[in-house]
Amino acid sequence: MAGGGAPAAGGAGNGVRIVVAGDAKTGKSSLIVTAAAENFPTNVPPVLPPTRLPVDLYPERVPVTIIDTSSSPENRDRLVEDLTRADAVVLTYACDRPETLDRLSTHWLSELRRLEVRVPVIVVGCMLDKRGDQQPVSLEQVMSPIMQQFREIETCIECSALNHIQIPEVFYYAQKAVLHPTAPLFDQEQQVLKPRCVRALKRIFILCDHDRDGALSDAELNDFQVKCFNAPLQASEIVGVKRVVQEKLREGVDERGLTLTGFLFLHALFIEKGRLETTWTVLRKFGYNNEIRLSNDQLPPPIKKYPDQSVELTTEAMEFLRKIFFTYDVDCDGALRSHEVEDLFSTAPENPWNEAPYVDAAEKTALGGLSLDGFLSLWALMTLLDPIHSVETLIYIGYGSDPSSAIRVTRRRRLDRKKQQTERTVYQCFVFGPKESGKSALLNTFIGRPFPEEYVPTTGNRYAVNVINQPEGLKKTLVLREIPEEGVKELLSKKDALAACDVAVFVHDSSREPSWEKATEMLVDIASQGEATGYEVPCLIVAAKDDLDPYLTEIQDSTRVSQDMGIEAPIPLSTKLGDFSNIFHRTVRAAEHPHLSIPETSAGKSRKEYHRLLNRSLVFISSDWSCSCCCWIGCLPGLFCKKEFF
C-alpha cells in the first residue's frame, strides 16, 4: 500500500491553528518569522500578529496560521484564550538554558492540562546554534522521561532559526499532528493499535473482501489501493507487500491472500515508521473523522419532528437485522450469547449495549443470551432514544442501503388521538409511583427477571423493553421507562415532558395508604400537565403487591378516583406470586387507543364545561346578530325573522 496526502478532517477543516508558547527569550518569534519568510530576522516585535504560512509549503496544502504569544503576567488572559483555541501547541525552550527545559514539565505542560487543552504538543528546542557541543546527553535521553509523563507530546525537535536548521520541520510536525494524530490510532506505551482503530480497520477490511472469504486477494488488494490512493499496485508490489507481512507474521498471509491479521499488521507497521498519513488516508476514504467515527456526511441529516412524534426502524432495516441475527448466531441456538454480540459489534467503535440504558434493558435467555425478540427490541429502544446513533451503528455492522431508508418518523400523537388510532409499532410507557411501590419489580417482571428479595432504589431513569405478541401474529414493542419519585418534579418542569409518552402507568403499594395517596397525587399532576400542554396520555393505575392485605379503604378510594377521573379501575397484580393480570397487553391496548383512558382533573372538567358554554353562547350571539342584520335591511316578505322566536 502506498501512502499519500489526506484531506483535512476534524478540527482542521478550515485550516490548522498552531499556537507557539514558552518562556520569554526562548526564540518563539524568531522561529515564526524564519518559517514564514525563510530569513532570520534582525529585529522582531515582542509579539507577532497572526502569521500565515504559504499554502504550498507542505504537500497537504492546508492553510496554517501561527499564533505568537507572550508569557508576561499582564498578557495571561490573551494567552489562555489563544491556547484554548489551538489545534496544536508548540512549546519552546532555549537549548542553551536548561532551566527553560525544566519549566516545560513544571509549568507549561501542567498548565495545558489545567486549562484542559487537549491537542497535540510539539516540544521545540530553539537556538541550537548557541548550545555548541556541550550537551552531554542526546535529545531522546532528555525528553524520554517528560514524554512518558505527558503523553500529549507528539514530537520533540531542536532547531536553529539563525542557521536555518529544521525550521520548516517544526510546523510540518505540528500540522501533521493535527491532520494525522497519533493518539486516536496507536497506544505508544503498549505499542499496539488502539481498539477503536482496530474496529474501523476490520470494517474496512470486510467491505473490501468482496467474496467474503476472509482474505484480500490480489485483485481486492488492488481495488483497495485504487480507492484509497488513486493508483494501482504493480504485481511485483503486491508480492512485496505480502512478503513483508509473511516474514514478520506467518498468519498474515494465506493461500487466499492478505488476512485481517496481516492487514492490521501493515497499518501498525506504517504507524511505527511514522507514516500515519497512510492509515488516516484509508480511514477518511471510508468516511471516518478524527474520533474514528463516521463523519456527519455519512449519516442522515438531523431529524425534524414534533415532540410528540417518535422514530422507528423501517421494515427494510428490521429485515436486515433479522438476517444479521442469524448470521451471528453461530451455534444456532436461537440466541446471541455475549461473545456473539461482541463479534457483531466488532466493526463499530464500541458495543453500544454495554452501557446504560441498554445494558440490562432486554430479556435474556436462561444462558444469558438475547433472543431474536430481545435483539430487535433493543434496536427499537436505541432508535427511539437516539435514532442517528442507531443508524450509525447499523452502518457499522453492514447496512448498505441509503441510511435514511432505515428509519421513519411516526405521525403526531395529537393527530392519532383525533383519528382514534395509531400506526406506531413501538410504544413508550412512563412508569410512575412512590418509592417501594413496585415499579422496579414491574420492569423486572417485564424482562423475565426474578422477584428480588431486597429492595434496591432506582436512582435514575431506567428502561425495560420487550416484544408483545398480538392477535393474528402481530408484534408490538413496549418500552417501560421508570421515573423515580424524586425525578417527577424535574420531568414536569419541561413543557414537552409528556410528548414522548404513549401511555402512563401509576403503581402503588395496595397495602399502604400513603403509597396510594402519593400515586394519586402524581396522577393528578400528570393529568394536569397533559391538559395544560395538549399532550394528554392514556393512564392506567396498578395496585401492586396484591399478595398483601389491602389497607382498609383501598377499594373505595381507588374506585372513587378512577370514576372521578374517567379511567379504568386499578389493575391488581403481584409480581411475587407471578399474577400480572395481563398488564403489559393492557398497556399496549391503551397506547393503541390514544383517545381513551385519558384522565380528567376537576380543573380540566371545569375548563371543558366553560369552553362548551362559551361556544354555545357564541352560537347564540352569532344567530342573534344575523337576525339584526337581516332586520336592518328589512325582513324579506314571506320569510320568518328569527328574532320572533326569542
Side-chain angles (χ1 to χ4, degrees), residues 358 381-391:
Y358 311 110
L381 176 62
M382 188 157 66
T383 306
L384 180 75
L385 300 182
D386 194 350
I388 298 299
H389 185 212
S390 181
V391 174

CSV table of all heavy atoms in Angstrom, one decimal, residues 358 381-391:
chain,number,residue,atom,x,y,z
A,358,TYR,N,-29.0,0.6,27.9
A,358,TYR,CA,-29.3,-0.6,27.2
A,358,TYR,C,-28.8,-1.9,27.9
A,358,TYR,O,-29.3,-3.0,27.6
A,358,TYR,CB,-28.6,-0.6,25.8
A,358,TYR,CG,-28.9,0.7,25.0
A,358,TYR,CD1,-28.0,1.7,24.8
A,358,TYR,CD2,-30.2,1.0,24.6
A,358,TYR,CE1,-28.2,2.8,24.1
A,358,TYR,CE2,-30.5,2.2,23.9
A,358,TYR,CZ,-29.5,3.1,23.7
A,358,TYR,OH,-29.8,4.3,23.0
A,381,LEU,N,-35.4,0.2,21.0
A,381,LEU,CA,-35.2,1.2,22.1
A,381,LEU,C,-34.1,2.2,21.7
A,381,LEU,O,-34.3,3.4,21.9
A,381,LEU,CB,-34.7,0.4,23.4
A,381,LEU,CG,-34.3,1.3,24.5
A,381,LEU,CD1,-35.5,2.2,25.0
A,381,LEU,CD2,-33.8,0.4,25.7
A,382,MET,N,-33.0,1.8,21.1
A,382,MET,CA,-32.0,2.7,20.7
A,382,MET,C,-32.5,3.6,19.6
A,382,MET,O,-32.1,4.8,19.6
A,382,MET,CB,-30.8,1.8,20.1
A,382,MET,CG,-29.5,2.7,19.8
A,382,MET,SD,-28.0,1.8,19.8
A,382,MET,CE,-28.2,0.7,18.4
A,383,THR,N,-33.3,3.2,18.7
A,383,THR,CA,-33.9,4.0,17.6
A,383,THR,C,-34.8,5.1,18.2
A,383,THR,O,-34.8,6.2,17.8
A,383,THR,CB,-34.6,3.2,16.6
A,383,THR,OG1,-33.7,2.2,16.1
A,383,THR,CG2,-35.0,4.1,15.4
A,384,LEU,N,-35.6,4.7,19.3
A,384,LEU,CA,-36.5,5.6,19.9
A,384,LEU,C,-35.7,6.7,20.7
A,384,LEU,O,-36.1,7.9,20.6
A,384,LEU,CB,-37.4,4.8,20.9
A,384,LEU,CG,-38.4,5.6,21.7
A,384,LEU,CD1,-39.6,6.0,20.8
A,384,LEU,CD2,-38.9,4.8,22.9
A,385,LEU,N,-34.6,6.3,21.4
A,385,LEU,CA,-33.9,7.3,22.2
A,385,LEU,C,-32.9,8.1,21.4
A,385,LEU,O,-32.6,9.2,21.7
A,385,LEU,CB,-33.3,6.5,23.4
A,385,LEU,CG,-34.2,5.8,24.3
A,385,LEU,CD1,-33.3,5.1,25.4
A,385,LEU,CD2,-35.2,6.7,24.9
A,386,ASP,N,-32.2,7.4,20.5
A,386,ASP,CA,-31.1,8.1,19.8
A,386,ASP,C,-31.1,7.6,18.3
A,386,ASP,O,-30.2,6.8,18.0
A,386,ASP,CB,-29.8,7.8,20.5
A,386,ASP,CG,-28.6,8.7,20.1
A,386,ASP,OD1,-28.8,9.4,19.1
A,386,ASP,OD2,-27.6,8.6,20.7
A,387,PRO,N,-32.0,8.0,17.5
A,387,PRO,CA,-32.1,7.5,16.1
A,387,PRO,C,-30.9,7.6,15.3
A,387,PRO,O,-30.5,6.7,14.5
A,387,PRO,CB,-33.3,8.2,15.5
A,387,PRO,CG,-33.6,9.4,16.4
A,387,PRO,CD,-33.0,9.0,17.8
A,388,ILE,N,-30.2,8.7,15.3
A,388,ILE,CA,-29.0,8.9,14.5
A,388,ILE,C,-27.9,7.9,14.9
A,388,ILE,O,-27.2,7.3,14.1
A,388,ILE,CB,-28.5,10.4,14.5
A,388,ILE,CG1,-29.5,11.3,14.0
A,388,ILE,CG2,-27.2,10.5,13.7
A,388,ILE,CD1,-29.9,11.1,12.6
A,389,HIS,N,-27.7,7.7,16.2
A,389,HIS,CA,-26.7,6.8,16.7
A,389,HIS,C,-27.1,5.3,16.3
A,389,HIS,O,-26.3,4.5,15.9
A,389,HIS,CB,-26.6,6.8,18.2
A,389,HIS,CG,-25.5,5.9,18.8
A,389,HIS,ND1,-25.6,5.3,20.0
A,389,HIS,CD2,-24.4,5.5,18.2
A,389,HIS,CE1,-24.6,4.6,20.2
A,389,HIS,NE2,-23.8,4.7,19.2
A,390,SER,N,-28.4,5.1,16.3
A,390,SER,CA,-28.9,3.8,15.8
A,390,SER,C,-28.6,3.5,14.4
A,390,SER,O,-28.1,2.4,14.0
A,390,SER,CB,-30.4,3.7,16.0
A,390,SER,OG,-30.9,2.4,15.6
A,391,VAL,N,-28.8,4.5,13.5
A,391,VAL,CA,-28.5,4.4,12.1
A,391,VAL,C,-27.0,4.3,11.9
A,391,VAL,O,-26.5,3.4,11.1
A,391,VAL,CB,-29.0,5.6,11.3
A,391,VAL,CG1,-28.6,5.5,9.8
A,391,VAL,CG2,-30.5,5.6,11.3
